[in-house]
Amino acid sequence: MSSGTINVSVENIFPLIKKFLYSDHEIFLRELISNATDATLKLKHLTNIGEAKVEYGSPIIEVKIDKENQKLHIIDQGIGMTADEVKKYINEIAFSGAEEFLEKYKDKNGEDAGIIGHFGLGFYSSFMVANKVEIITKSYKDEPAAHWTCDGSPNYTLEEADKKERGTEIILHISDEDTQFLEDARIRELLVKYNKFMPIPIKFGTRTETLPKPEDAKEDDPAPTLEVDNIINNPNPAWTKQPTELEEEDYKKFYRELYPMQFEEPLFNIHLNVDYPFNLTGILYFPKLTNDLNVQKDRIQLYQNQVFVTDNVEGIVPEFLTMLRGVIDSPDIPLNVSRSYLQADGAVKKISSYITRKVADKLKSLFNDNREDFEAKWNDIKMVIEYGMLTEDKFFDKAQDFALYPTVDGTYYTFDELKEKIKDLQTDKDDKLVILYASDKEAQHGYIEAAKDKGYEVLLLDSPIVSHLLQKMESKNENTSFVRVDSDAIDALIKKEDEAISKLSEEESETLQTMLSEIIPSEKFSVKLEAMDSNASPFIITEPEFMRRMKEMQQTGGGMFGMGAMPEMYNLVVNTNHELVGQILNTKTRKKKERLVNQALDLAKLSKNLLKGEDMTEFIKRSYDMIK
């Protein structure tokens, strides 16, 4: 038996473990399972190359709870260690340079940037939950087993053990404050969370399996049962396989395995598989998405060599893709890193760029292979694509091949197709292409119909980020503007050379303007007279495109500062060629004039969905009076 002092002062290491890792102390199990997995995979490699002259067999990792004695056991059948290797890997390497290491990995705020998983410190996470730790280990080499014990001080003992089987057993003497880790449910929860897809089978207890009844069994005979190992993980998840090995049903089955409480099928998946210039595998799923900007993120799970790391993948996955679901696995992403480290890391930036390109390529192929199906799914996936176009220039460029612009009648165009379709009729007198759109088919119905009567195409663009996206589209496409159908009178939306002539004289127009300004509240409406087709509405309420768009942009983050708080302001366009406007002008009594103006204004407000509350009550009362 030997004993000694670990080569570091107690003032540094053990307080460091308690202080910096306390909030994360459930990950001790992840670390110990990861170590056991590494030891097993190393043995597999050594037997494959003929260096280890032992039978690899079918090793498993076992986790056992001894509640009575307050102990937790993690047992593997891996490479094992000799006494000399225990001294080297547990006593020396694990603690060498710890102070320098801590300084190096502190982030800008002075907080630890994640020390578990570095320099052999993963094993020492045991001391976050245990007041004593034992290692009983036997190497694959023909040497005696070793038994190491440490009580969380710098002192340890190392002696020979009588262990006969190859591998390592870690015994944690769980502290009184951490007895939660002696509960079956808690350990199962952690194993499923962190180790659900580890490459070596993990046994946690046993389960009863029902076997088929023998052919000669009676109907009332119970089915035979068998106690079998309870393997809690899937060592060969779908993302570790080649796409050629998987059918569509395999992808759907894996989705259900990842999200057992998700009952809707994903729309489609993207299989990631690259080994240069970095290693990355994974499967991303497009779920059905709504227009809700608060869509739940954190659904993509990040793994390192099948070990769960986090489901907060911002910085690794482009932000617009955080709305997707699935798995990304890369050995090039450290197990524990600070957010600032991730965002500055060169490999992570390359990974993000690759994922963006791969998603764009997949969307393009889906569009090319089955456009009809792609159009049918457009409303469920447009939020991701539009957000990507807005935030990632490279994705914007690629999306020109598959991003769709639906009309209010359900026809879908790419941007190039749309321009070709409308260029003759919707180019104004200044040679600018004007693209008309609606954001609410019901609320803007009257304006849409007026535009369609002119032969114009009207798009239906209703996502909450559309104002931001249109701003970008206009900056990327010269001589093109997007105008919502209710932002001006129909004849003013796309100005042509031939302007209509007003039936009113200049003097009559001035009289009308003065009279209207006395009746219509100036704090809500800016009145302007327009000579339009006599069949167009007499009063039309419009919202100036620029003002409305800036307000919308600020409400969803962006736009011009202060615009979001601006009061609602509308234009009231009065058609001087409409018969009713002439009638208002020629009505003798002031009272009747006011009644006609207010009735026409309320009808315009009604078509704009602005007539509510007291105004609606007054309008109904006035309407009944007028038809008595």
Side-chain angles (χ1 to χ4, degrees), residues 223 266 303 341 346 354 452 594:
Y303 287 77
Y341 173 89
Y354 164 78
K452 285 166 67 175
E594 286 185 8

Side-chain angles (χ1 to χ4, degrees), residues 575-593:
N575 180 4
T576 59
N577 289 339
H578 195 281
E579 185 182 350
L580 177 63
V581 174
Q583 186 182 335
I584 290 170
L585 187 63
N586 296 319
T587 295
K588 301 299 182 191
T589 66
R590 171 77 181 188
K591 188 175 180 181
K592 189 175 180 184
K593 275 186 181 182

Side-chain angles (χ1 to χ4, degrees), residues 552-568:
E552 288 174 351
M553 286 172 69
Q554 188 153 32
Q555 284 160 9
T556 52
M560 294 174 65
F561 179 74
M563 294 293 285
M566 291 282 284
E568 296 289 349

Side-chain angles (χ1 to χ4, degrees), residues 219-236:
E219 192 175 334
D220 295 337
D221 287 351
T225 59
L226 182 68
E227 282 295 304
V228 296
D229 289 349
N230 181 36
I231 304 298
I232 59 93
N233 61 321
N234 172 4
N236 301 296

Side-chain angles (χ1 to χ4, degrees), residues 57 78 105 152 156 199 212 220 254 258 333 352 458 555 567 571 580 601 625:
Y105 280 87
Y156 69 89
D220 295 337
F254 181 57
L258 280 175
I333 295 172
S352 177
V458 181
Q555 284 160 9
N571 288 333
L580 177 63
L601 176 61
D625 288 342

Side-chain angles (χ1 to χ4, degrees), residues 210-365:
T210 303
L211 302 175
K213 284 185 180 183
E215 286 184 15
D216 58 350
K218 295 177 182 175
E219 192 175 334
D220 295 337
D221 287 351
T225 59
L226 182 68
E227 282 295 304
V228 296
D229 289 349
N230 181 36
I231 304 298
I232 59 93
N233 61 321
N234 172 4
N236 301 296
W239 84 80
T240 63
K241 301 171 184 176
Q242 292 296 319
T244 51
E245 299 174 56
L246 299 167
E247 301 291 336
E248 189 60 33
E249 187 49 44
D250 295 318
Y251 287 110
K252 288 180 179 177
K253 183 180 175 185
F254 181 57
Y255 183 79
R256 291 190 288 269
E257 193 175 347
L258 280 175
Y259 308 105
M261 301 307 291
Q262 187 60 235
F263 302 112
E264 277 194 332
E265 294 281 349
L267 296 167
F268 51 83
N269 64 75
I270 299 170
H271 198 130
L272 307 169
N273 195 343
V274 63
D275 53 21
Y276 181 83
F278 47 81
N279 286 298
L280 180 136
T281 54
I283 300 171
L284 296 180
Y285 293 92
F286 267 74
K288 284 189 173 185
L289 292 173
T290 64
N291 277 351
D292 184 5
L293 264 185
N294 298 315
V295 64
Q296 189 170 357
K297 297 184 181 181
D298 299 343
R299 290 297 187 87
I300 295 176
Q301 298 173 12
L302 179 66
Y303 287 77
Q304 187 215 62
N305 290 328
Q306 294 176 237
V307 183
F308 176 77
V309 179
T310 181
D311 56 9
N312 180 357
V313 294
E314 287 182 37
I316 302 158
V317 172
E319 189 182 352
F320 76 99
L321 294 178
T322 57
M323 291 182 272
L324 303 188
R325 293 175 185 156
V327 166
I328 291 170
D329 190 334
S330 175
D332 294 324
I333 295 172
L335 260 181
N336 290 274
V337 286
S338 66
R339 189 59 48 206
S340 57
Y341 173 89
L342 263 185
Q343 289 163 350
D345 186 72
V348 168
K349 285 180 179 174
K350 286 178 185 170
I351 287 170
S352 177
S353 179
Y354 164 78
I355 293 171
T356 299
R357 188 174 74 250
K358 186 77 175 176
V359 168
D361 291 345
K362 175 71 173 185
L363 290 166
K364 184 179 178 182
S365 72

Side-chain angles (χ1 to χ4, degrees), residues 290-546:
T290 64
N291 277 351
D292 184 5
L293 264 185
N294 298 315
V295 64
Q296 189 170 357
K297 297 184 181 181
D298 299 343
R299 290 297 187 87
I300 295 176
Q301 298 173 12
L302 179 66
Y303 287 77
Q304 187 215 62
N305 290 328
Q306 294 176 237
V307 183
F308 176 77
V309 179
T310 181
D311 56 9
N312 180 357
V313 294
E314 287 182 37
I316 302 158
V317 172
E319 189 182 352
F320 76 99
L321 294 178
T322 57
M323 291 182 272
L324 303 188
R325 293 175 185 156
V327 166
I328 291 170
D329 190 334
S330 175
D332 294 324
I333 295 172
L335 260 181
N336 290 274
V337 286
S338 66
R339 189 59 48 206
S340 57
Y341 173 89
L342 263 185
Q343 289 163 350
D345 186 72
V348 168
K349 285 180 179 174
K350 286 178 185 170
I351 287 170
S352 177
S353 179
Y354 164 78
I355 293 171
T356 299
R357 188 174 74 250
K358 186 77 175 176
V359 168
D361 291 345
K362 175 71 173 185
L363 290 166
K364 184 179 178 182
S365 72
L366 288 167
F367 175 77
N368 291 339
D369 294 346
N370 189 341
R371 176 164 178 166
E372 189 178 343
D373 183 60
F374 193 84
E375 288 179 359
K377 290 173 178 170
W378 177 252
N379 279 334
D380 294 315
I381 63 175
K382 67 184 178 186
M383 272 289 286
V384 175
I385 295 172
E386 290 175 354
Y387 194 23
M389 291 171 69
L390 184 62
T391 55
E392 300 272 337
D393 276 344
K394 286 182 180 175
F395 186 80
F396 181 96
D397 296 337
K398 284 182 171 287
Q400 299 311 300
D401 294 328
F402 54 78
L404 293 176
Y405 298 84
T407 70
V408 290
D409 297 319
T411 305
Y412 291 82
Y413 297 106
T414 64
F415 192 63
D416 286 341
E417 291 167 350
L418 178 68
K419 287 193 294 184
E420 189 61 32
K421 176 80 167 60
I422 68 173
K423 66 181 182 183
D424 294 335
L425 203 56
Q426 291 181 221
T427 301
D428 68 9
K429 62 185 178 64
D430 299 318
D431 207 30
K432 178 179 272 193
L433 186 69
V434 180
I435 300 171
L436 301 180
Y437 72 98
S439 59
D440 187 323
K441 209 156 69 164
E442 296 300 317
Q444 292 149 18
H445 183 267
Y447 300 89
I448 293 168
E449 290 303 305
K452 285 166 67 175
D453 286 345
K454 289 273 190 182
Y456 298 153
E457 284 284 3
V458 181
L459 301 182
L460 180 61
L461 305 177
D462 58 0
S463 75
I465 58 169
V466 74
S467 298
H468 298 269
L469 183 59
L470 297 186
Q471 206 75 358
K472 184 159 186 172
M473 292 293 294
E474 288 170 346
S475 71
K476 293 273 189 179
N477 296 278
E478 283 187 31
N479 286 327
T480 300
S481 67
F482 285 80
V483 179
R484 206 167 84 177
V485 286
D486 60 350
S487 63
D488 213 330
I490 186 64
D491 292 337
L493 288 173
I494 305 174
K495 287 190 180 290
K496 304 289 186 177
E497 292 290 358
D498 48 337
E499 291 191 9
I501 298 167
S502 177
K503 289 180 180 179
L504 301 185
S505 67
E506 197 172 321
E507 186 181 346
E508 287 174 320
S509 293
E510 286 177 9
T511 303
L512 179 64
Q513 183 84 45
T514 303
M515 183 257 293
L516 291 173
S517 64
E518 290 171 356
I519 300 171
I520 294 167
S522 59
E523 67 275 11
K524 289 186 180 177
F525 297 101
S526 174
V527 179
K528 62 176 185 175
L529 308 183
E530 292 270 354
M532 293 186 286
D533 190 302
S534 59
N535 291 321
S537 298
F539 281 24
I540 301 165
I541 294 172
T542 64
E543 282 183 90
E545 177 75 18
F546 175 77

